[in-house]
Amino acid sequence: MIANIVKPGHKTRGVLNYLYGPGRANEHTDPHLIASFDGFAPDPSRDPDATLADVLDLRVKQAGHKAPKNHVWHCSIRAAPEDRHMSDEEWAAIARRVLDATGIAPVSDPDSCRWVAVRHADDHIHIVATKVRGDLRPPRNWNDFLRADKELVAIEKEYGLRQVPRGDRTATKRPTRAEQEKALRTGNTRTSREHLRTIVRTAVSAATTTEEFFRLVEGAGALIDVQYFPSGDVRGYKVALDDDTNAQGEPVWFSGSTLAPDLSYPKIASRLTATETTPAERTDAPAWRRLSIAIGQTPDHLTHDEDEAGQAHITVLAETLDALPLVAPAGLQPQLVRAATAFERAARSRIRAQHQAARATRRAVKAILRESAPKDGALLAAVLDALLLAVIATQHWHRTRDHTQQAEAARQTATHLRAAYQAQATEPLAALRQRGTRLAESLRRRQEFTLRRALPDLAEQVLAEPGWPALAATLARAEAAGHKPAALLTEATARRETNTATSVSEVLTWRLHRLADLTAITTTSSAPAPQPAAYRPTNTATSQQRRTR
């Protein structure tokens, strides 16, 4: 059950006309009053000459200039689609509880505000109140949405309704109805806000400095206006689409924080400064190899690190997903874009990220945009496998902390990533399976013995899977490279769960590739991966001239 509270202004009659009219987005059927402040308010559906607006506005007129300028309070309460049909009496009781919780009409207060509850559909009601009490003072209704939401949690349990996952106020602001209708009129599938959010998020994943971030946003086709303090330091920024204008023909601007809570300038700057190299970090290895290793370690970090460090690793996972569509093969891009879009909600929580904890992964993400794309499909498959396991670990991390919306977003992301992985891994796994079936009998039996000795509880399951020949070939290759296969298998399963894996043999195959570095350094093409021009990174220290207003 969800509440939506809006302050429509000062026209009580206008709100009532909408509630009792045919509706715009949804058809209104049988609109009627189900409850009111005194039980005797006139119902316009039964009496066309009823003066309900005048009844609600009586105290507003009595208060005169002391009345709030925008005195109308409007709350809609909607049940979940799968909830049972509730009677008018049940909805009336729910309305009174919400009014009591929000402070608009406390049950024990004879001077509470005047209100009515109107029902014009099976699954929701509307409450309209005027914010002037009997003593002609305004009600104490601050934090009314949080209070209403808390009361609805209790109502869901008591009435046996679906318990809707609650957020933590870190979700992005939804496009307004006006924005959605404008997008439809202009033939766009996304609103300007959503389009700009994607541009900014992708630029953050690619940029290494704030100057480069501004340049990439501008290069992606957005207008950007950077604000400065008198000292010359950047104070903030706002963006707009060149073809999105208001009635005066001016661009419709959005500040970073209105696109998403983590896209304000201070939060972007803190992420971009957390990219310096540490003495212990390897920078000579190919970027894709470093990314594969770093992402593969993410589940361990989420299990053992402090929450602040764990949140940092989740944030950089989102940057990885934002960057991958820029360099992935065309066939994978749609699923990867969907994964990035879904994970955007999973990337934020109320936990403050310690971004320095994930700097190695962040550097690797930015480096893959500056190096050659992997020619060998096995390397990209290994990266996608690591990402899938990291996203599943993220889902568990959020679930154990009661971040219900984030956990659900991570689950949806895993679905899209799994599809991308399966598409990418088909060819390299087929090659590995073929190589495994060609192993000498003695070598194949030795790898089987190694598996039984290292993983006695999983051995029978792995041996029965179609992916066993590929794992056997990988073990043989690791052994030929000087590694101990039994030790690799033990390390691959020591701290990382395999219960959620569709194929344990495939998971182990890619883990061994990462642990033993079995993807040759020479598996990159000589030409850079094709990237959209707007996101070709640069090391320039100056930005282009920006359009400001």
Side-chain angles (χ1 to χ4, degrees), residues 34-239:
I34 59 172
S36 66
F37 65 97
D38 63 355
F40 298 102
D43 187 349
S45 64
R46 296 179 171 84
D47 181 4
D49 298 324
T51 56
L52 181 56
D54 293 336
V55 171
L56 292 177
D57 282 340
L58 176 62
R59 291 173 179 171
V60 178
K61 295 178 180 178
Q62 291 173 341
H65 67 277
K66 294 183 180 180
K69 181 178 180 181
N70 296 317
H71 61 263
V72 181
W73 186 87
H74 179 197
C75 174
S76 61
I77 305 174
R78 185 177 297 273
E82 61 270 32
D83 283 341
R84 62 179 177 82
H85 175 87
M86 287 186 288
S87 65
D88 284 355
E89 290 73 20
E90 289 176 308
W91 275 115
I94 292 171
R96 292 188 179 94
R97 289 180 60 168
V98 170
L99 287 160
D100 178 52
T102 57
I104 293 292
V107 172
S108 58
D109 186 357
D111 285 332
S112 60
C113 299
R114 294 193 166 198
W115 60 271
V116 293
V118 178
R119 185 178 187 180
H120 56 208
D122 285 341
D123 63 348
H124 70 278
I125 61 169
H126 292 262
I127 306 172
V128 180
T130 47
K131 295 192 297 181
V132 178
R133 292 164 37 82
D135 53 15
L136 303 185
R137 293 185 301 171
R140 300 162 64 94
N141 68 307
W142 54 78
N143 285 334
D144 49 6
F145 174 77
L146 294 180
R147 293 180 183 180
D149 197 55
K150 183 177 180 180
E151 185 65 24
L152 289 180
V153 171
I155 289 172
E156 288 169 350
K157 294 178 181 178
E158 294 178 26
Y159 281 68
L161 307 175
R162 177 194 171 193
Q163 297 183 31
V164 178
R166 256 63 190 187
D168 54 5
R169 306 186 75 180
T170 61
T172 58
K173 183 179 179 180
R174 294 181 180 180
T176 64
R177 173 174 291 180
E179 291 172 354
Q180 294 173 335
E181 292 177 349
K182 186 175 184 180
L184 289 174
R185 288 197 308 270
T186 55
N188 294 313
T189 57
R190 295 184 297 173
T191 65
S192 295
R193 187 193 303 270
E194 292 167 323
H195 188 184
L196 288 166
R197 184 184 303 137
T198 300
I199 289 176
V200 172
R201 292 192 68 86
T202 308
V204 172
S205 70
T208 56
T209 65
T210 54
E211 283 294 316
E212 187 179 16
F213 163 71
F214 293 142
R215 186 193 68 79
L216 293 177
V217 171
E218 195 172 42
L223 305 177
I224 184 163
D225 181 7
V226 183
Q227 296 93 40
Y228 297 89
F229 289 111
S231 63
D233 295 329
V234 176
R235 180 167 61 91
Y237 74 97
K238 56 184 179 180
V239 290

Side-chain angles (χ1 to χ4, degrees), residues 313-388:
H313 285 284
I314 292 174
T315 301
V316 85
L317 270 183
E319 294 177 21
T320 307
L321 290 166
D322 287 332
L324 274 182
L326 301 178
V327 292
L332 297 182
Q333 289 175 8
Q335 286 291 355
L336 291 177
V337 168
R338 295 186 189 102
T341 302
F343 197 76
E344 187 263 343
R345 181 65 189 98
R348 292 184 305 273
S349 73
R350 301 294 290 181
I351 298 172
R352 187 182 183 88
Q354 183 185 350
H355 291 300
Q356 296 294 333
R359 56 178 171 254
T361 311
R362 181 171 282 108
R363 285 183 60 84
V365 172
K366 299 179 187 304
I368 65 170
L369 299 175
R370 292 161 171 80
E371 292 193 5
S372 302
K375 187 177 181 180
D376 186 355
L379 181 54
L380 182 53
V383 170
L384 292 176
D385 174 74
L387 270 173
L388 178 57

Side-chain angles (χ1 to χ4, degrees), residues 432-502:
L432 284 172
R433 281 196 294 268
Q434 188 176 22
R435 188 179 303 171
T437 57
R438 292 177 179 176
L439 288 176
E441 182 67 17
S442 59
L443 184 56
R444 185 186 61 79
R445 289 188 176 278
R446 185 160 76 246
Q447 305 310 332
E448 181 177 337
F449 175 76
T450 299
L451 175 68
R452 293 184 183 277
R453 183 181 61 178
L455 306 176
D457 296 334
L458 290 173
E460 293 303 325
Q461 177 183 347
V462 171
L463 290 171
E465 291 179 350
W468 160 242
L471 177 57
T474 303
L475 288 168
R477 187 178 175 189
E479 187 177 29
H483 297 280
K484 295 182 179 180
L488 286 176
L489 284 172
T490 301
E491 184 179 356
T493 56
R495 292 173 297 173
R496 302 173 179 90
E497 58 87 24
T498 56
N499 295 334
T500 59
T502 304

